[in-house]
Amino acid sequence: MPRGLGHQGGMTIDVLSALALFALITSITPGPNNLMLMASGANFGFARTVPHMMGITLGFMVMLLLVGFGLIRVFDAFPGIYTVLKVLSLIYLIYLAYKISTAAPVQSADPNAKPLSFLQAAGFQWVNPKAWAFGLSIITIYVPSAGILPLVITALVVAVMALPSVTLWTLLGGQMARFLTNPRRLRVFNVTMAALLVASLLPALWPAS
């Protein structure tokens, strides 16, 4: 495993502080997870979006741990897996964009209207190119050794710093719901969020040559 900033002094306070700041800034800036949380908060409210929030937080934490424990070597040994991931990413992305664009309001009587589940949100991290880039950057820069403890500490710090982000974006969506009581405005909002979701991931899936 690549050695990072603290390879000589272990997980020092300076390294942990830098990691926490990096994780907070990266997680709170606009991206696929945050766009989906805002859309879910607007359509279903904060309480019903909590499983989605926890799926992102814990799902990425598990992903980070598995990658740090050596899963990335499997991907390096079999490069074709990256292509498979891109195809799966595109399929799941289209599915999620469809769900967002057709989401019914909280007041809807449609029994099929429901937010993303914990497992769906956790699973999305594995086909989210931006989550992979974030995770690999953390492992490469901030994990000081191949030891289990530094990796676990790193994953815990990242998970804790993600909580303000998922909470803020969901609350933001909930506040926007006050202005989306008109079905037409809600539909425009949902379609716009779906388009932004697709736009946020396509450059990561197929970067310009």
Side-chain angles (χ1 to χ4, degrees), residues 121-143:
F124 177 66
Q125 308 316 304
W126 290 92
V127 293
N128 182 354
K130 290 192 174 182
W132 277 99
F134 181 28
L136 292 176
S137 296
I138 290 173
I139 295 297
T140 302
I141 299 172
Y142 293 102
V143 177

Side-chain angles (χ1 to χ4, degrees), residues 34-160:
N34 293 333
L35 291 173
M36 288 192 293
L37 286 174
M38 186 165 66
S40 183
N43 285 276
F44 303 106
F46 184 88
R48 293 184 66 189
T49 305
V50 169
H52 186 169
M53 296 163 55
M54 292 300 99
I56 290 173
T57 304
L58 298 181
F60 182 74
M61 179 179 171
V62 170
M63 175 183 169
L64 193 63
L65 288 170
L66 292 178
V67 170
F69 284 140
L71 182 62
I72 192 61
R73 295 170 188 167
V74 175
F75 289 85
D76 289 338
F78 302 97
I81 295 179
Y82 286 108
T83 302
V84 174
L85 270 178
K86 284 187 176 184
V87 173
L88 291 176
S89 297
L90 182 60
I91 293 173
Y92 198 38
L93 172 63
I94 293 173
Y95 164 72
L96 291 175
Y98 170 77
K99 284 198 66 174
I100 291 174
S101 65
T102 59
V106 177
Q107 298 82 4
S108 172
D110 183 2
N112 296 319
K114 57 183 179 180
L116 214 63
S117 70
F118 174 89
L119 291 179
Q120 286 174 322
F124 177 66
Q125 308 316 304
W126 290 92
V127 293
N128 182 354
K130 290 192 174 182
W132 277 99
F134 181 28
L136 292 176
S137 296
I138 290 173
I139 295 297
T140 302
I141 299 172
Y142 293 102
V143 177
S145 70
I148 294 177
L149 183 58
L151 182 60
V152 171
I153 293 175
T154 298
L156 287 173
V157 170
V158 172
V160 169

